[in-house]
Amino acid sequence: AQQLTRPSAGIEKEYLITLDRSFDHQQHGSQLTEGIVLEEGRATAVSYLHLSPRRLQVVLKQGMKRQLRRMFAEMGYRIKKLVRVRIGCLPIGDLKPGRWRTLGDDEIQLLLRNLNRPAPTEKKKENPTVSRKRREKRTKISKDNHWRRAMPRKRVGGRKK
């Protein structure tokens, strides 16, 4: 879940926005997509769609705190209603605020592909830099004496610290 919501992941988040007054897309539309300078840096929208005079659909990839509210405030608008409708490739649907649901296997696979991560069913490739003998030795130690590795070794003799 954190991999989806963190800004560095670059996952698209889509929002429906209702403004306090009509949005002038000729004057402010390019500002949304080119970026508005906030304290953390330039905040940009990937795209936007003008649904009605006061309603917009906006797609973000960044994740600054209260980003949309602050972007629109810089342009002189106030957001009356803000609803996230999609995260990555998953539509939120009729899920109520504060609620959650379990994802299906197909949805998990879709998200992993969206994040460019290998699916959990895929076998992890072995590290080619570790020799075969070393891998075999590790396996033998872990099977036979796995508890000994975890035990701290006693210091015998030597200087006092």
Side-chain angles (χ1 to χ4, degrees):
Q2 290 177 354
Q3 291 175 5
L4 286 174
T5 56
R6 69 174 36 162
S8 62
I11 300 295
E12 288 186 349
K13 295 155 197 86
E14 186 177 318
Y15 298 88
L16 288 178
I17 298 172
T18 305
L19 299 172
D20 61 336
R21 58 189 173 91
S22 294
F23 182 72
D24 185 2
H25 71 271
Q26 292 175 342
Q27 185 180 0
H28 297 115
S30 62
Q31 252 185 308
L32 268 179
T33 54
E34 291 172 10
I36 296 169
V37 179
L38 300 176
E39 290 174 21
E40 296 92 343
R42 184 173 295 274
T44 59
V46 174
S47 64
Y48 79 95
L49 181 62
H50 203 176
L51 301 174
S52 72
R54 292 179 42 203
R55 293 198 56 180
L56 297 170
Q57 180 178 339
V58 180
V59 178
L60 298 179
K61 274 195 174 180
Q62 297 170 308
M64 296 179 192
K65 182 178 177 183
R66 300 176 59 83
Q67 180 176 349
L68 284 171
R69 293 188 188 277
R70 292 175 21 207
M71 286 173 70
F72 279 94
E74 283 290 320
M75 294 184 289
Y77 296 96
R78 202 168 135 235
I79 293 180
K80 291 287 190 180
K81 187 174 182 180
L82 177 64
V83 179
R84 185 184 293 162
V85 292
R86 177 174 63 90
I87 299 175
C89 53
L90 291 177
I92 305 270
D94 58 352
L95 199 61
K96 303 289 182 218
R99 297 290 181 190
W100 58 274
R101 68 176 178 87
T102 305
L103 298 178
D105 290 337
D106 56 334
E107 292 174 316
I108 292 171
Q109 297 298 325
L110 192 61
L111 282 174
L112 289 172
R113 269 188 261 126
N114 217 16
L115 288 169
N116 295 323
R117 306 260 195 281
T121 56
E122 295 176 14
K123 187 177 179 181
K124 185 179 174 184
K125 292 182 181 176
E126 298 218 8
N127 188 349
T129 59
V130 177
S131 69
R132 185 176 56 96
K133 267 186 167 179
R134 188 171 177 107
R135 279 194 301 269
E136 289 171 0
K137 186 178 178 183
R138 281 183 183 170
T139 307
K140 185 179 178 189
I141 289 171
S142 63
K143 285 180 182 174
D144 298 338
N145 301 324
H146 63 88
W147 60 273
R148 287 190 184 172
R149 278 196 149 192
M151 298 292 291
R153 296 184 178 219
K154 280 188 177 179
R155 186 178 174 136
V156 180
R159 297 185 316 186
K160 292 183 179 178
K161 289 186 178 180

